[in-house]
Amino acid sequence: MSNTTKETIDRLLSKSKESFVLALEIYNKPTIKYRVEGFAILICNAWELMLKAHMINIFGEKSIYDKKKLGETLSLQKCIIKIFSNDKDPLRLNLEKIKELRDT
């Protein structure tokens, strides 16, 4: 693994951790009116970044890019499908429910 690839993975994981923490902080503040929505947005972001770091580690850096949309990375849904191939996996089902909440 090249230094650039390692740096990309480290950067994605660092941002993912920050997004996880922010999601929890927002969710735990009862005075914020849209805390569930804010939590959903940030937790989906955290998972997407973490899954992309995992994909780079396993499949290489090109694996996170959408082949149909030049220069764009894969959506959270496409990352979920690629990593959790079993559509009955409880973690996949939970992630898809949170994504559904975010999308509404």
Side-chain angles (χ1 to χ4, degrees), residues 5-20:
T5 301
K6 174 95 172 90
E7 289 171 6
T8 300
I9 291 170
D10 290 344
R11 192 172 68 252
L12 288 170
L13 290 175
S14 176
K15 288 181 179 188
S16 175
K17 290 174 194 173
E18 188 70 24
S19 192
F20 269 110

Side-chain angles (χ1 to χ4, degrees), residues 59-77:
F59 307 116
E61 211 158 336
K62 290 182 181 180
S63 68
I64 66 168
Y65 290 96
D66 192 323
K67 292 178 178 120
K68 295 178 183 176
K69 298 176 184 175
L70 198 60
E72 289 187 29
T73 60
L74 297 174
S75 66
L76 174 59
Q77 184 63 40

Side-chain angles (χ1 to χ4, degrees), residues 12 19-20 26 34-35 43 74 83 88 93-94 97:
L12 288 170
S19 192
F20 269 110
I26 286 176
Y34 297 104
R35 69 179 196 211
I43 206 73
L74 297 174
I83 297 300
K88 304 289 188 241
L93 295 173
N94 285 340
K97 282 293 182 192

Side-chain angles (χ1 to χ4, degrees), residues 31-72:
T31 58
I32 296 176
K33 291 182 182 182
Y34 297 104
R35 69 179 196 211
V36 173
E37 292 86 348
F39 169 82
I41 290 166
L42 287 167
I43 206 73
C44 284
N45 178 254
W47 271 101
E48 183 176 335
L49 293 168
M50 185 172 52
L51 290 174
K52 286 177 180 174
H54 181 66
M55 288 168 57
I56 290 171
N57 192 40
I58 292 180
F59 307 116
E61 211 158 336
K62 290 182 181 180
S63 68
I64 66 168
Y65 290 96
D66 192 323
K67 292 178 178 120
K68 295 178 183 176
K69 298 176 184 175
L70 198 60
E72 289 187 29

